[in-house]
Amino acid sequence: MSTVVSYENEFNQSITEYQAQMSNTYIKVTKFNNLKKIIEEYVNNLLSEVTYYQDNESITEIFNKFPSLNNLDIAKRVEIQGNYIREEIFTHQRNVGLKLHSFNVEHILTGKSICFGSYNLQTGEVINESVVKMKYDILGNVAYSYYYNSLGKVNIIQEESGEAFSNEFSETYYNNVLPLLP
């Protein structure tokens, strides 16, 4: 089992450990066997947020690893389709329980998110207005962001970089909230 630790700045660009510590605000990514296990976000060199990919650990065991935090994001990989993976994230608050259930769809090789949003905690259904889908340009920057209304139809298209996009799937993917995976 191989463990690799890498660092990113707040724009998700790779930086060295030294650059991370000098910047005071950075992300530390720990991977086991090429899969993300722990994502730690630091602000002013203090741990502010953690996303932990749960295997067999209990929520209590995970909280015990991060005693300074009151909130943790517990992630699970639930579906792979082609080059994309859908993850479900459960935000837990210490001594309270589940506060938010969300999802993220990302490209497996680049780690770039193409779709994210939240579920209704009571019904388990996607909250259409929470969903954002992104198109990336040829440089890997977000070119356009798509926001949806309560009916799951495109409400707003926000131009980001405005460069030509390079996604490998059709424009129809962006017309509606569903499907989440292209």
Side-chain angles (χ1 to χ4, degrees):
M1 179 156 72
S2 68
T3 301
V4 175
V5 176
S6 61
Y7 297 86
E8 300 173 351
N9 62 19
E10 62 269 22
F11 306 108
N12 295 92
Q13 298 166 325
S14 293
I15 58 175
T16 66
E17 182 178 4
Y18 177 77
Q19 289 171 316
Q21 293 171 347
M22 297 313 294
S23 72
N24 297 324
T25 301
Y26 59 93
I27 300 166
K28 178 181 176 183
V29 179
T30 304
K31 292 182 178 180
F32 292 132
N33 293 331
N34 249 358
L35 291 175
K36 288 181 199 170
K37 182 65 177 173
I38 306 168
I39 301 170
E40 301 170 73
E41 295 183 32
Y42 290 84
V43 176
N44 295 324
N45 279 330
L46 296 173
L47 183 61
S48 65
E49 191 174 323
V50 169
T51 300
Y52 192 96
Y53 288 82
Q54 184 181 31
D55 290 316
N56 298 317
E57 310 91 344
S58 70
I59 303 298
T60 301
E61 288 173 319
I62 298 169
F63 263 114
N64 288 341
K65 294 178 183 196
F66 306 98
S68 66
L69 295 180
N70 286 322
N71 293 307
L72 280 176
D73 291 335
I74 309 298
K76 294 183 180 187
R77 295 170 188 90
V78 293
E79 182 180 8
I80 295 175
Q81 188 171 335
N83 292 325
Y84 296 92
I85 187 166
R86 182 172 59 90
E87 302 171 335
E88 298 211 352
I89 300 103
F90 303 86
T91 301
H92 291 270
Q93 188 172 37
R94 190 184 302 272
N95 300 323
V96 174
L98 183 63
K99 299 296 286 178
L100 176 69
H101 181 192
S102 58
F103 64 87
N104 181 48
V105 177
E106 70 179 40
H107 190 274
I108 294 170
L109 299 175
T110 66
K112 294 199 180 283
S113 179
I114 61 161
C115 177
F116 63 85
S118 301
Y119 295 105
N120 180 303
L121 286 177
Q122 282 73 41
T123 67
E125 294 189 18
V126 171
I127 301 171
N128 291 333
E129 311 92 275
S130 74
V131 176
V132 178
K133 291 183 179 181
M134 284 85 54
K135 278 187 185 178
Y136 288 87
D137 64 24
I138 56 175
L139 300 174
N141 299 314
V142 175
Y144 298 94
S145 296
Y146 290 73
Y147 298 86
Y148 301 86
N149 62 24
S150 61
L151 300 175
K153 302 290 183 192
V154 173
N155 188 34
I156 296 171
I157 301 171
Q158 183 173 332
E159 185 176 329
E160 305 290 347
S161 74
E163 299 293 325
F165 66 94
S166 64
N167 286 358
E168 57 190 64
F169 37 90
S170 75
E171 181 69 27
T172 59
Y173 170 69
Y174 297 98
N175 292 338
N176 301 293
V177 163
L178 296 176
L180 299 177
L181 285 157

